[in-house]
Every structure is written in structure tokens, then in C-alpha cells.
DNA sequence: TATGTTTGTTTGCCAAACGAACAAATTAGA
DNA sequence: TCTAATTTGTTCGTTTGGCAAACAAACATA
């Protein structure tokens, strides 16, 4: 792209970003935010309105009621939410979800589906998912504006859209993006993403107060992770970074050795199967998280002892994560996250005990996102990428 | 900064970067490299020559002898090495080094010094270092061009230039940058940096073939670390990221519990004291690395057993690092790095055993940098920062 | 010697941001 | 109610800086 055009593109993107972050703003607001003159801001807005990305904010929009005293009031503009829709598809273990978000980042539709892992192939899954996507789109009646979609799987994904390894799906070197494209030709699927990465994107967008260094831990059958450093998802050399479930914290783990987990990894201590195995070890019995929680809430000794071990080991893993990444916050998500809520003190104590005295302990919190978080995150990822330019604070200020 | 001026600044920086990377180039080369027209490249070069940052390359310069057949030969220009010098100061455990690099990145002087940790205070260290810096500068006779300096310590440093914690110096909350400034007022000291981070910078600059995702492990009394992700040093929320020696890989460690190390951390298994403790455990005895290496090379049973344990534990730690960061390469540095050379197969086997089958294993290598690496890196860090703009490929191509 | 190729400079052009001026819209105060 | 102050949004001329084409210079080859 020629130089001046590139500068313009950057500023258009920054305008869009600012409006997405802050909601409706006047041209003068935008000028201040971007550090450009009002005339430049006007020109930028005009271009974007022409393309259809922005519109005048409806009069009824809640004006922020800032105690702005004097002067001519600005005409507020906002992103044209209807201009483009984005699709997110989560393929999970035996279930998944579908989500559609609009250009403003609002979730317009979600849907959950289930399938039997044992009796199906990746291709069948793709076809099944496609059916649910079509239903969702039909309900919205808006396929024309749909700009594309991204799918997620719980495992390693390469840049070409192949599932390198998804242990709990039993997939290995599956060209899932191609399969999805074949099953859903009417949508332009642009990528495949790790589920934890998508959850991170969803949480960052939905949670006010932008933090730049956050770690997400997705606690399920496998332990997924995503590290956000300096506002960007850490990808590593091949895109395999953030496999936080595989860090080594001990010798053996609680779950019996399997091909899907390494002995001694965080996952082998605090993954779903490890939890059940440990419960069994103490003489308890559970086959679902809800079983375990019921036993725990009833005060069952075995469950209490299991939780104690679980939190202690989680704390060890968190300590390693803190030492490597020094995040501001660690967000726990997934079906096992409720366990943390019930053993929080113990987990925090274990974390503290495995850090050098006086270390900076990040904020630990549970996500408030639902089960569709990966699908929503995937859609938001696309919404971001379409107009992104690798944001950097280059001009203005 | 106003917008058009910012664009110019970016391109000037890119010109400088290109010349630093590739050595002398013609204006046409620069134009191709930056993706701008020759006329623009000429203008950029003219500006930079005016400021004094660039000069015509001396005729004698080794022309790259590429088999360039026809056409008018270009007049090669290069960075004006003499235009600015940068100072790097390493404060290590009982020793340290000083280095001066010029604008071209060439090391112009180094010096090593020693001090007794037990009988001194941070202030005394600062004064002692200042003396060595003055000697070094006097030998060069070039204080006028000196643009500033950066110091390193083996420990956590905050953005304000305080040593938050340097266990093996016995320092805690020491405003070392201020002390250094007081002791060396004639040099503008602009920052304090972790030693491993500085080594990473040195290695990246000195090693051809730019890798974007590298992990440095500094094996000494403490185990320092630095993660480079996407070409940038990972800093985390408070600048404490990369404390790779503190990741938890087991229960207890080999070295007796001390306040400077957490039980079960990588450092407690493979740090200098852990090595000696383990050697002792097997009935050997060593007080210096060289003692241990001698015993090992003589085939002493205790030393062999110790090395075996050391490499196995190192492999566990490396596995965690790989899972979190997925680096292209892991570079081992520091006094204990020779141990890896002698137990490489075992370390690799352990690493592989603690990764999921089929994982991507990074290249493992030893650094070829000497003991002054931290000081050189600190100086290079400054050399980079002076003209940096957070490089991004924005224009051209 | 003629031709082709590459370099570096010159000149005019254009995109985009800047800056100042001005009308419009609103509040505060007399 | 009328005026002053303030903020917004637009207009228009200016400036910055990269682009494109033309051209002379320097070298290789035939």
C-alpha cells in the first residue's frame, strides 16, 4: 500500500477502535482521542460513513450525561452495528456452541449443540455443526451481511487451519478448517483458533477496564490456557504457546497415565479426570462435576480432601505461570472453575507459598462468561482482525 | 508529535535499523529494503547525514562482492559509529563488567571488576563501579560522545530503577539507579535492567539470523531468564516476567531451603548451590564449577550421577517453558551452561519425555557470548532504544 | 564505440494532516 | 431578553512528505 494511503488506513482503524471502545462519540471527541485536529477527524468520519461502517447515533441513545456545561453539543456518531456480522463456532468435547456478533461487538445470537464423540468423525462433526449454523443464521435472517467465521477447537492449531492435536477430541492432524469449509460453503471461514485464546478475546472485549497482561486458564477435561502479554495473545513460534495445562509441576499426577496427558503436568493434577481419580483415591465417587460439587457441598470427607489437593496443586501451577509471565490478573474459566470458588483461600495460600516472599501476586478471578464464550470470542476475533493493523500508539497524544 | 513528522521519524528509524542490520548499503538498497522510492531514500539519508548519524562508507570497506554484473555502482553509506557511544554496566555476584558500544553496535571497550559482597553496601558498589567506568572511559578518551548508560543486576527491577529483589546480592528495595547516578554524575544513566534481559539483547544483536521467539536461561547461582516473544522482551505487568528459575517443577529441590529460593523451583534443582548440594549428596565435593567439571571429566561416579540428575531436572523445566512459550530456540548461558554440553543427550531426552508426543521441540544451544554479555547487552539496549519507535512493518512492501 | 543497466538526483504531483477562521448551537450571566 | 463565552463542525489555504517520471552519471558488455 502506498504510504499516504496507509496512514489514512491506520487512522480510520483507530477511529473505529475508539468508537467500539467508548460507544458513541462526537467528532471532537474522536479528534481528542486520536490526537488529530477536528478537521481531520471530520474527514475520517466522512470516509467511514461513506463506506457504511459508521452512522449518526440514534437520538435516543443514552447521552453520557457528563456535566458538560457550555458550548454547542456535538452530533454523536457510532459504529453501524448492522453493517457486518461475524460468526464464531466452538467445537468442544461432545458439545459446542455457535455465536454471531455484529460490527459493534454485540452478541446477536448464540446456540449450543451436542454430539457424541465416540460415534463420529471430524467430517461428521463439521456437517453437524454446519446444520446448527444454518439454523442460527436462519433465525437471524441476515446471511447477506455475514462477513465470515472462525472456528475453535480444544487443542493445538497451526496457521494453515489444521488441528495438530486435540487429545480429548481424539483428533490429530485433522484439516478441520477445510472440512468446515466443505460443509459450510456459504460462509467464508477464515481461520481456526484454540478455544482458550478465543475465551481470552471474549473476556477482554466484554470486561471493562482494559488489562494488558492477563492469563486465562480454561479448566475442563484438559487444561487450556492463553497468555495475553502487552495486549496481544502470545502465540510463540508455531502458534502453540499458552499450553498451560502441560507445565510440569510434579512427578506423576493423580490421573492414570494416558496418551493425552504428560505425567506430572498441571493437567494430570487438576484436570477433570485427575479430579475424579483423586476423589476415587479418597474413597469418594463422582462422574460429573456436579456430582463432585454436590458431595463437596454436603461436606463429604473424600470430596473435601480432594478439593484440598486440587487447590494446592493449582496453586503450584499458578506460581509457575506468575514467575514466567507476571500477569496483572489470572482468569479462571471452564466447568471446573467453581472448584476454585470453594477452595479459594487454600489455592491462594499455595500460590503464595510457591512464590518468593514479597512477589507480586496477580488478581485471581472467575470469569462471568457463559459456555458460549469460545464461540463469541472467535467471532470477536474476526471482528477485530477485519480492520486491525496491529495497533500501536504511533501518532497523536 | 505531529503526524507527518512522525512518519518521517519512523522512516528515519527504519533506515538506521536497516543499516545496523546489514552494514553499509547504497541508497538504492535502502529504498528496496524499506519499500520506498529511491528519491525518498535519498532524502532520508540526507537528513540523517545532516544530523551526523550516517556517513559515506570508507572506500576500503569490504564490498560484499555479490556478483552484481552491470550498472552504476552505488555509493555505500553506513552508520556513523563515532557519533554516539553507549555505556553498559553489569553488577553481578561479587563481580561485574563494564562495556562501551558505539552507534554501529560494535563493542569498543570492556572491563571486568570484582568486589566482595560481604563487606560492602550498594552505595559502595556503585562507587566502586563508577571508578571502573571512569577508567574505561579514560582509556577510550571519548566521554563527549557518550549518550548514556544502563546498569544490570541479577534480580527484579522495577520501572523506577529500584532493585526490588536481588537475592544473591542480598539486596531488597535498593534504589540502585539513584545510587549509581550519584556516584557517576557525568554519565546520564537512563535505566536499570535485569541481567538476563540484557544478555538476550546482546545475543539477538550479535547472532545473525533474527529469531522472533527465543528463551534465554542464565544458569548461575540463581537461574535467570528472559523470554523474547515476537521479537520483544516479555516484561509482564510489573516488569517481573521471565523469572524462569522460579517455576515449580517438584517438591523440594536439592539445595537446602533458603530464603533466596522457593522449594521445588527449577533453581532449587539446577542452580549452583543445588548442584554442589547434590554432588555432596552422592559423596562428591566441589566448591566451584571448575571443581565439578574436573571431577566429571575424570569420570567420578558422584559427579556423573549429579550431572544425570541435573540434566533430568533441567529437561523438566525446559518442558514447562516450551509449553508456555513455544520458542523457536532456547539459549543457555552462564557459568553452568557447560554442564549442558556434557549431558546434552540426557537433557534432551528428559525434555522430550515431559512433552506430549509430537510436540515441537525448540532448538537448544549454548551461547557463544563471554562474561561481559550483560554489560554489552545493556549498552546495546540503550543504543536500540534511543532511536526506536516500537518497530512494526507498517509501510512499504 | 555503442548499448544496456543500475544509481542518484531533480522536478512536479498528490494525499493527508495541520492551522486558522467562521458560522452554528448551546449555556451563563447581566 | 440580550449578550458573552464556549464548544462544535466545516471550509480553505498551507505544509509535510512520499511518489513518479525523467535524466545524467558510472559501470559492464559486445
Amino acid at each position: 500500500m502506498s504510504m499516504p494511503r496507509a496512514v489514512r488506513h491506520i487512522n480510520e482503524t483507530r477511529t473505529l477502535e475508539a468508537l467500539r471502545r467508548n460507544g458513541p462519540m462526537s467528532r471532537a471527541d474522536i479528534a481528542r482521542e486520536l490526537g488529530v485536529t477536528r478537521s481531520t477527524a471530520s474527514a475520517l468520519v466522512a470516509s467511514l460513513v461513506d463506506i457504511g461502517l459508521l452512522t449518526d447515533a440514534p437520538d435516543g441513545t443514552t447521552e453520557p450525561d457528563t456535566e458538560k456545561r457550555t458550548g454547542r453539543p456535538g452530533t454523536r456518531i457510532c459504529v453501524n452495528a448492522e453493517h457486518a456480522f461475524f460468526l464464531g463456532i466452538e467445537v468442544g468435547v461432545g458439545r459446542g456452541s455457535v455465536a454471531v456478533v455484529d460490527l459493534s461487538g454485540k452478541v446477536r445470537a448464540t446456540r449450543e449443540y451436542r454430539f457424541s464423540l465416540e460415534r463420529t468423525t471430524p467430517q461428521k462433526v463439521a456437517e453437524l455443526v454446519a446444520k446448527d449454523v444454518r439454523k442460527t443464521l436462519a433465525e437471524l435472517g441476515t446471511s447477506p451481511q455475514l462477513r465470515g467465521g472462525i472456528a475453535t477447537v480444544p487443542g493445538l492449531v497451526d496457521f494453515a487451519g489444521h488441528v495438530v492435536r486435540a487429545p480429548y477430541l481424539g483428533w490429530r492432524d485433522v484439516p478441520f478448517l477445510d472440512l468446515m469449509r466443505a460443509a459450510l460453503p456459504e460462509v467464508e471461514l477464515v481461520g481456526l483458533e484454540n478455544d482458550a485464546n478465543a475465551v481470552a478475546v471474549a473476556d477482554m472485549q466484554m470486561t471493562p477496564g482494559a488489562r494488558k497482561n492477563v492469563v486465562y486458564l480454561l479448566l475442563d477435561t484438559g487444561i487450556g490456557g492463553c497468555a495475553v502479554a502487552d495486549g496481544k495473545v502470545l502465540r510463540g513460534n508455531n502458534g502453540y504457546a499458552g499450553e498451560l495445562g502441560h507445565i510440569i509441576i510434579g512427578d506423576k499426577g493423580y490421573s492414570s497415565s494416558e496418551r493425552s496427558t504428560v505425567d506430572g503436568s498441571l493437567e494430570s493434577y487438576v484436570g477433570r479426570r485427575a479430579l475424579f481419580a483423586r476423589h476415587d483415591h479418597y474413597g469418594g465417587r463422582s462422574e460429573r462435576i456436579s456430582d463432585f460439587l454436590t458431595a463437596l457441598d454436603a461436606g463429604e470427607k473424600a470430596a473435601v480432601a480432594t478439593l484440598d489437593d486440587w487447590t494446592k496443586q493449582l496453586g503450584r501451577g499458578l506460581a509457575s505461570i506468575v514467575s514466567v509471565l507476571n500477569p496483572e490478573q489470572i482468569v479462571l474459566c471452564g466447568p471446573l472453575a467453581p472448584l476454585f470458588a470453594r477452595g479459594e483461600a487454600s489455592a491462594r495460600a499455595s500460590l503464595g507459598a510457591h512464590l518468593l516472599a514479597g512477589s507480586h501476586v496477580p488478581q485471581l478471578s472467575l470469569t462471568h462468561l457463559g459456555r458460549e464464550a469460545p464461540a463469541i470470542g472467535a467471532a470477536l476475533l474476526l471482528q477485530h482482525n477485519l480492520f486491525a493493523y496491529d495497533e500501536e500508539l504511533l501518532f497523536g497524544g
Side-chain angles (χ1 to χ4, degrees), chain A residues 275-287 291-292 295 300-306:
Chain A
L275 181 79
F276 297 153
R278 195 61 172 171
H279 195 197
D280 186 69
H281 166 85
Y282 281 121
R285 168 151 189 78
S286 46
E287 288 189 336
D291 298 344
F292 181 79
E300 185 202 276
K301 282 254 174 66
V304 171
T306 301

Side-chain angles (χ1 to χ4, degrees), chain A residues 156-160 164 235-241:
Chain A
L156 295 187
V157 166
D158 70 15
F159 297 121
V164 176
R235 299 202 171 269
N237 189 48
N238 311 85
Y240 307 156

Side-chain angles (χ1 to χ4, degrees), chain A residues 79-361:
Chain A
V79 308
N80 183 4
E82 309 297 319
H83 182 260
F85 284 17
F86 306 93
L87 174 68
I89 299 171
E90 173 205 8
V91 175
V93 181
R95 57 161 292 285
S97 57
V98 170
V100 175
V101 308
D102 64 26
L103 186 56
S104 75
K106 199 177 154 202
V107 178
R108 302 294 287 254
T110 61
R111 171 185 285 265
E112 202 170 353
Y113 66 90
R114 296 178 181 283
F115 62 93
S116 161
L117 254 180
E118 285 73 28
R119 281 171 296 173
T120 194
T121 64
Q123 188 185 341
K124 285 270 163 62
V125 171
E127 285 161 7
L128 191 148
V129 171
K131 228 181 279 178
D132 271 85
V133 168
R134 289 200 186 94
K135 273 189 218 161
T136 311
L137 294 178
E139 284 169 15
L140 274 171
T142 57
S143 29
Q145 300 104 312
L146 197 73
R147 282 306 172 81
I150 288 185
T152 75
V153 293
L156 295 187
V157 166
D158 70 15
F159 297 121
H162 288 54
V163 176
V164 176
R165 200 172 56 212
Y168 298 108
L169 291 178
W171 292 4
R172 181 137 190 185
D173 293 316
V174 173
F176 189 64
L177 185 59
D178 295 334
L179 294 177
M180 278 301 313
R181 280 175 174 152
L184 193 66
E186 66 266 41
V187 177
E188 190 190 352
L189 295 170
V190 301
L192 199 59
E193 181 59 90
N194 173 275
D195 57 346
N197 289 359
V199 170
V201 171
D203 183 85
M204 285 200 291
Q205 177 108 17
M206 308 302 250
T207 309
R211 297 130 302 152
K212 289 278 196 180
N213 292 277
V214 194
V215 168
Y216 293 85
L217 211 54
L218 192 51
L219 302 161
D220 197 350
T221 309
I223 306 292
C226 175
V228 174
D230 224 7
K232 277 192 258 185
V233 170
L234 207 69
R235 299 202 171 269
N237 189 48
N238 311 85
Y240 307 156
E243 285 296 311
L244 305 181
H246 297 151
I247 60 175
I248 305 295
I249 63 167
D251 285 328
K252 187 139 172 21
Y254 297 146
S255 54
S256 58
S257 174
E258 309 169 56
R259 291 202 5 187
S260 43
T261 307
V262 176
D263 276 354
S265 67
L266 179 59
E267 191 169 295
S268 74
Y269 282 98
V270 306
R272 186 194 290 254
R273 294 183 187 172
L275 181 79
F276 297 153
R278 195 61 172 171
H279 195 197
D280 186 69
H281 166 85
Y282 281 121
R285 168 151 189 78
S286 46
E287 288 189 336
R288 298 175 170 200
I289 305 291
S290 56
D291 298 344
F292 181 79
L293 289 177
T294 307
L296 188 64
D297 292 343
E300 185 202 276
K301 282 254 174 66
V304 171
T306 301
L307 179 68
D308 193 53
D309 287 345
W310 190 87
T311 52
K312 281 208 174 73
Q313 299 297 347
L314 179 67
R316 292 164 62 86
L318 293 179
S320 286
I321 292 169
V322 169
S323 294
V324 177
L325 297 167
N326 178 219
E328 179 181 356
Q329 183 186 24
I330 299 180
V331 179
L332 303 173
C333 335
L336 273 70
L339 293 186
F340 173 78
R342 310 198 192 203
E344 185 168 341
S346 164
R348 283 182 192 277
S350 170
L351 168 57
H354 290 95
L355 292 174
L356 272 185
S359 289
H360 182 269
V361 179

Side-chain angles (χ1 to χ4, degrees), chain A residues 13-35:
Chain A
T13 308
R14 296 212 301 150
T15 306
L16 217 53
E17 282 290 327
L19 281 167
R20 265 205 287 251
R21 259 201 317 278
N22 305 343
M25 301 165 77
S26 71
R27 290 165 174 80
D29 290 335
I30 293 171
R32 274 187 293 269
E33 177 102 358
L34 301 198

Side-chain angles (χ1 to χ4, degrees), chain A residues 51-93:
Chain A
I51 313 175
L53 295 181
L54 301 183
T55 28
D56 288 295
D59 275 350
T61 315
T62 58
E63 308 208 359
D65 264 345
T66 73
E67 63 295 340
K68 193 180 49 179
R69 303 254 167 273
T70 73
R72 165 179 168 178
T75 60
R76 293 144 55 79
I77 49 179
C78 64
V79 308
N80 183 4
E82 309 297 319
H83 182 260
F85 284 17
F86 306 93
L87 174 68
I89 299 171
E90 173 205 8
V91 175
V93 181

